[in-house]
Amino acid sequence: MLIAIPIRPRDCREFATIPVANGAIIVLNVLAFCAGWQPYIGLGTGTSSILTHAFSHAGVWHLAGNMLALLVFGTAVNRRVGNPWYLSAYLGSAAALGLFAWMFASRPLIGASGAIFSVIAMACLLMPAAQVEVGYFALFPVTLLVGFVHRPEDWVRWFIRWDSFEARAWWGLILVPVLEFWGLFWVGWNWTNLAHLFGLICGVTAVLLLPTRISMPGRIATFATDS
């Protein structure tokens, strides 16, 4: 078993504030969860669910993981593209995924993960050179693979291990799709991994639709770039 969690971008100053659009999205998600509001989407649900499903979560850990991703990647993207473009990209991705699920999903879907994977793809494309600190927890036999890269200090860490490492953001464009396709292979054809992959496609599309002055500023952008 391997659990990897992005912690923060390492090559920039600490964010003093969260941008308005990203902050509003985080607050709405938390309030909806605390209120017990969990709209789902699928065949037979109302048209409003095309968007409202993106503000629901299946549990506290689902919420915590998604909000952490928004804090790490959403803050960076929001600062880079500005509030109007960020909000348009987030809600547009959520609506695109919602419309697809509303028309074709064979079972009810819940959660904002598709839109958040869109934000992750945008961060990797817009700021590929940024160093991101990633924490991980691994159990045997995955620890054997980790040990070949970084030999453990004692024998226990051959079986259970936790640490952190740094990686360029562009690695996400490779590792995230690989993990999602692995999920399809390991678990079988499922809408969770499909929604994540669809979100990545939406993120790539959003970057392609951005004005050139934002998506191609003529220099390598980092997470420190302000909007």
Side-chain angles (χ1 to χ4, degrees):
M1 182 182 73
L2 175 65
I3 300 175
I5 302 175
I7 300 173
R8 61 173 178 169
R10 293 282 293 175
D11 56 348
C12 69
R13 66 181 183 275
E14 296 292 337
F15 295 130
T17 59
I18 300 174
V20 174
N22 195 49
I25 291 172
I26 292 173
V27 169
L28 286 174
N29 274 279
V30 173
L31 289 178
F33 182 80
C34 292
W37 192 57
Q38 295 181 317
Y40 60 86
I41 184 141
L43 294 174
T45 60
T47 55
S48 62
S49 64
I50 292 174
L51 189 58
T52 58
H53 80 281
F55 294 90
S56 59
H57 291 84
V60 64
W61 291 113
H62 189 200
L63 174 71
N66 281 344
M67 295 306 99
L68 176 62
L70 280 182
L71 284 172
V72 174
F73 297 105
T75 298
V77 175
N78 194 167
R79 286 182 177 275
R80 171 66 185 275
V81 305
N83 290 316
W85 284 107
Y86 179 77
L87 195 60
S88 298
Y90 186 90
L91 295 179
S93 298
L97 175 60
L99 180 61
F100 185 81
W102 184 70
M103 296 173 62
F104 302 109
S106 56
R107 66 175 181 82
L109 299 180
I110 187 172
S113 300
I116 290 171
F117 271 75
S118 172
V119 172
I120 293 174
M122 292 180 69
C124 294
L125 283 172
L126 292 172
M127 295 154 280
Q131 288 276 17
V132 182
E133 183 181 6
V134 181
Y136 72 87
F137 175 80
L139 292 176
F140 183 86
V142 177
T143 48
L144 295 178
L145 298 177
V146 177
F148 289 137
V149 177
H150 186 199
R151 189 175 181 84
E153 299 176 357
D154 53 73
W155 65 270
V156 175
R157 291 179 178 265
W158 284 106
F159 298 92
I160 180 172
R161 191 164 183 174
W162 60 90
D163 206 339
S164 64
F165 63 92
E166 294 182 6
R168 297 287 185 182
W170 64 264
W171 274 102
L173 296 174
I174 299 175
L175 295 179
V176 176
V178 167
L179 290 174
E180 294 306 320
F181 277 114
W182 174 254
L184 288 175
F185 173 79
W186 184 261
V187 179
W189 193 259
N190 67 89
W191 279 95
T192 299
N193 293 114
L194 286 175
H196 295 170
L197 289 169
F198 192 94
L200 294 175
I201 294 173
C202 288
V204 173
T205 303
V207 171
L208 294 177
L209 293 176
L210 286 173
T212 305
R213 61 181 172 81
I214 297 177
S215 61
M216 300 178 64
R219 61 187 178 87
I220 298 177
T222 68
F223 280 95
T225 305
D226 287 326
S227 61

